[in-house]
């Protein structure tokens, strides 16, 4: 199942990565959402994988971990600061990033019917160590960024099926950096999580109450 990214009025992707389409494993790029107003000259996003399942990779690519992005370096972010942020990600987020066991547990709970209803009623993301870890990580980054810069994760969530019956979630995470005060003001008005089909299938409209990714 493919995915067609939504486009806002006069949306211009010049300066952003070319691969904005979705796939069976990934949602479309968050910047294709018409509710996100990213300006290529004043914002850039680094893709990363928050959730881990089986041997599938997660976190940041090695090239990103080893090199402070030039746009940040040019604005005063030192290499040692960047390396420390990457180490903090490993400490605060990675230990809580597994999803397979949680998914199996969720299915098992549904098999028990009444406990399954209880599981659905509890806002699990409110107590998620992964969500809390990402939130603390972002708080630290923003407290140390040079004046005028701002950081915020932005996630697109969708749903896919390989057999037409069993749906599973797909994500696309981007760590967005606003490079000017004006762009920071725009970024701060945008939500953390969006859905590919906000008015379509319910599994494509994420619960945003307690989520940061």
């Amino acid at each position: 199942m493919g995915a067609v990214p939504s486009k806002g009025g006069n949306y211009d992707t010049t300066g952003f990565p070319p691969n904005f389409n979705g796939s069976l494993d990934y949602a479309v790029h968050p910047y294709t959402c018409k509710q996100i107003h990213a300006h290529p000259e004043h914002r850039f996003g680094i893709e990363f994988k928050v959730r881990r399942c089986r041997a599938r990779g997660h976190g940041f690519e090695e090239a990103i971990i080893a090199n402070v992005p030039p746009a940040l370096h040019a604005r005063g972010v030192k290499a040692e600061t960047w390396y420390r942020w990457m180490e903090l990600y490993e400490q605060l987020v990675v230990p809580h990033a597994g999803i397979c066991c949680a998914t199996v547990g969720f299915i098992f709970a549904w098999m028990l019917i009444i406990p399954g209803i209880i599981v659905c009623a509890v806002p699990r993301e409110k107590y998620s160590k992964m969500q809390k870890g990402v939130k603390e990580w972002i708080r630290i980054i923003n407290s140390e960024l040079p004046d005028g810069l701002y950081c915020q994760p932005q996630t697109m969530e969708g749903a896919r099926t390989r057999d037409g019956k069993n749906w599973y979630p797909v994500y696309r995470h981007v760590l967005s950096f606003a490079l000017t005060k004006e762009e920071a003001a725009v970024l701060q008005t945008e939500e953390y999580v969006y859905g590919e089909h906000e008015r379509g299938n319910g599994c494509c409209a994420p619960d945003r109450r307690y989520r940061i990714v």
Side-chain angles (χ1 to χ4, degrees), residues 15-181:
F16 287 127
N19 182 20
F20 273 68
N21 295 326
S23 68
L24 284 174
D25 293 322
Y26 295 97
V28 298
H29 197 287
Y31 289 1
T32 61
C33 179
K34 62 183 179 181
Q35 281 83 31
I36 291 180
H37 307 287
H39 300 91
E41 308 86 6
H42 308 302
R43 185 188 306 191
F44 78 97
I46 302 172
E47 287 198 50
F48 67 111
K49 303 179 183 71
V50 179
R51 293 162 177 85
R52 178 181 67 228
C53 189
R54 298 185 299 277
R56 185 176 297 174
H58 64 288
F60 293 85
E61 294 183 0
E62 288 297 327
I64 296 297
I65 295 174
N67 299 281
V68 57
L72 293 181
H73 190 262
R75 289 166 175 80
V77 176
K78 298 180 179 179
E80 53 266 30
T81 301
W82 179 257
Y83 301 152
R84 184 164 49 79
W85 290 346
M86 294 293 101
E87 291 177 353
L88 282 172
Y89 181 87
E90 292 290 323
Q91 298 170 15
L92 297 172
V93 181
V94 171
H96 313 297
I99 62 171
C100 284
C101 292
T103 302
V104 172
F106 182 75
I107 294 173
F108 181 73
W110 257 114
M111 292 172 64
L112 297 178
I113 303 177
I114 293 178
I117 295 174
I118 295 174
V119 168
C120 285
V122 174
R124 291 172 296 147
E125 300 295 354
K126 182 178 181 179
Y127 306 101
S128 166
K129 291 184 179 180
M130 183 188 75
Q131 298 290 340
K132 292 179 179 179
V134 176
K135 186 175 183 179
E136 175 63 12
W137 182 59
I138 295 299
R139 185 196 67 77
I140 293 172
I141 291 177
N142 279 316
S143 71
E144 298 178 354
L145 277 172
D147 184 51
L149 276 63
Y150 183 75
C151 174
Q152 177 173 307
Q154 296 186 289
T155 296
M156 182 69 81
E157 179 177 326
R160 301 286 186 271
T161 180
R162 285 188 170 89
D163 54 17
K165 298 178 181 179
N166 299 312
W167 291 85
Y168 60 94
V170 291
Y171 306 92
R172 195 82 167 265
H173 304 287
V174 172
L175 187 63
S176 289
F177 286 90
L179 305 177
T180 65
K181 290 184 177 180

Side-chain angles (χ1 to χ4, degrees), residues 195-205:
E196 283 183 349
H197 310 291
E198 297 285 0
R199 298 181 182 178
N201 193 307
C203 56
C204 294

